[in-house]
Amino acid sequence: MASIYTSNYTTSAYSIPENFVPDADLNKAVWQDAPKLKLEHFRKPKSYIPRIDTQVAIVYTPSHFYLAYWCKYFEINHFKSENLDVEFWQLWDKDVVEVFINPFPGQINTYFEFEVAPNNQWIDLAINLDNEPVLDVNWDSGFTHATRIYTKTWVCEMSIPVKSMGVKQIDPGMNWRINFYRCDGIGNVEQRRLLAWSPTLGNSFHIPQRFGTINFQK
């Protein structure tokens, strides 16, 4: 049977000995040997925007999935609310990094979305494209995150408890579907700088057929 997925992008995540709390210090040892993925123009494979060069790395423990983002910028554009205790609706309309995760690739239209802005505002959503509405805004993953803004670069670190996604634990050999994104700039979809690891080839990030594969190694 032909695959329902059309992306050949693949990556690996490697295990680390213990859990940690994100603090956005990406110089810590855990990230030094983690392979970095580079994000491209979301519609155009192998098309990069150097002034907003964006990279992401992944590691894991059995109970948590960790991400680190490095984001070059020439302007910062985020909402002004300082309340970080509650999620911020439509965070994606300004600068943000995102990850869409599908731990059960056979269910192509169901996945989980996590977003963090440069000032550490956040939102998490459960997605089911077969439902109406497709977004479950009441779902709460309990993920933690931290950001830091430097001159010309902002960084983000996330920790996602896998039980929130219906996974008992991550075991080596598992294969999930995943995509990583960044929204940058002001304006509509044609004017903003939108990046993806596996380009979606369309006008939306929500094209699960274009999710790449992540394999969990020891």
Side-chain angles (χ1 to χ4, degrees):
M1 180 183 295
S3 173
I4 53 180
Y5 294 95
T6 60
S7 173
N8 61 0
Y9 283 63
T10 61
T11 190
S12 296
Y14 295 89
S15 64
I16 58 174
E18 58 186 9
N19 292 319
F20 65 91
V21 177
D23 61 5
D25 176 8
L26 302 190
N27 292 316
K28 62 171 67 76
V30 68
W31 298 118
Q32 298 312 301
D33 296 324
K36 293 182 176 65
L37 308 175
K38 193 168 184 177
L39 275 59
E40 313 171 21
H41 190 294
F42 82 122
R43 291 201 197 98
K44 303 172 184 177
K46 306 305 179 186
S47 177
Y48 302 99
I49 306 175
R51 291 181 71 188
I52 60 162
D53 180 81
T54 306
Q55 298 184 74
V56 60
I58 319 102
V59 294
Y60 77 96
T61 66
S63 63
H64 284 75
F65 185 83
Y66 294 90
L67 302 99
Y69 287 85
W70 294 259
C71 305
K72 288 186 179 179
Y73 71 89
F74 53 90
E75 61 182 352
I76 290 285
N77 176 38
H78 58 66
F79 291 105
K80 301 305 181 184
S81 171
E82 300 299 327
N83 184 1
L84 301 181
D85 294 330
V86 296
E87 57 189 342
F88 200 102
W89 181 245
Q90 289 188 290
L91 196 64
W92 51 86
D93 285 341
K94 300 206 181 237
D95 295 353
V96 72
V97 289
E98 309 182 19
V99 60
F100 291 9
I101 303 174
N102 184 350
F104 307 102
Q107 303 170 27
I108 189 170
N109 284 338
T110 60
Y111 50 93
F112 303 94
E113 175 177 348
F114 305 84
E115 302 185 19
V116 181
N119 62 347
N120 209 31
Q121 291 170 328
W122 61 278
I123 191 170
D124 57 3
L125 300 162
I127 312 292
N128 186 335
L129 299 182
D130 297 321
N131 285 349
E132 184 58 46
V134 300
L135 307 177
D136 182 354
V137 297
N138 295 315
W139 178 72
D140 183 8
S141 68
F143 87 117
T144 55
H145 41 88
T147 60
R148 298 189 189 191
I149 300 176
Y150 303 102
T151 303
K152 302 301 184 183
T153 302
W154 70 273
V155 300
C156 174
E157 198 171 47
M158 302 186 202
S159 170
I160 300 171
V162 299
K163 283 186 177 180
S164 69
M165 298 184 289
V167 178
K168 183 177 180 181
Q169 68 176 37
I170 301 176
D171 294 316
M174 282 183 168
N175 289 289
W176 294 1
R177 286 285 174 163
I178 196 166
N179 213 348
F180 310 94
Y181 307 99
R182 178 183 176 188
C183 302
D184 182 80
I186 301 168
N188 61 33
V189 70
E190 299 295 334
Q191 297 167 316
R192 300 182 75 205
R193 296 170 289 271
L194 305 181
L195 304 179
W197 169 55
S198 173
T200 66
L201 312 181
N203 287 334
S204 172
F205 286 171
H206 290 273
I207 303 179
Q209 293 87 346
R210 292 296 304 164
F211 289 8
T213 300
I214 183 168
N215 174 256
F216 293 95
Q217 304 284 331
K218 291 183 177 180

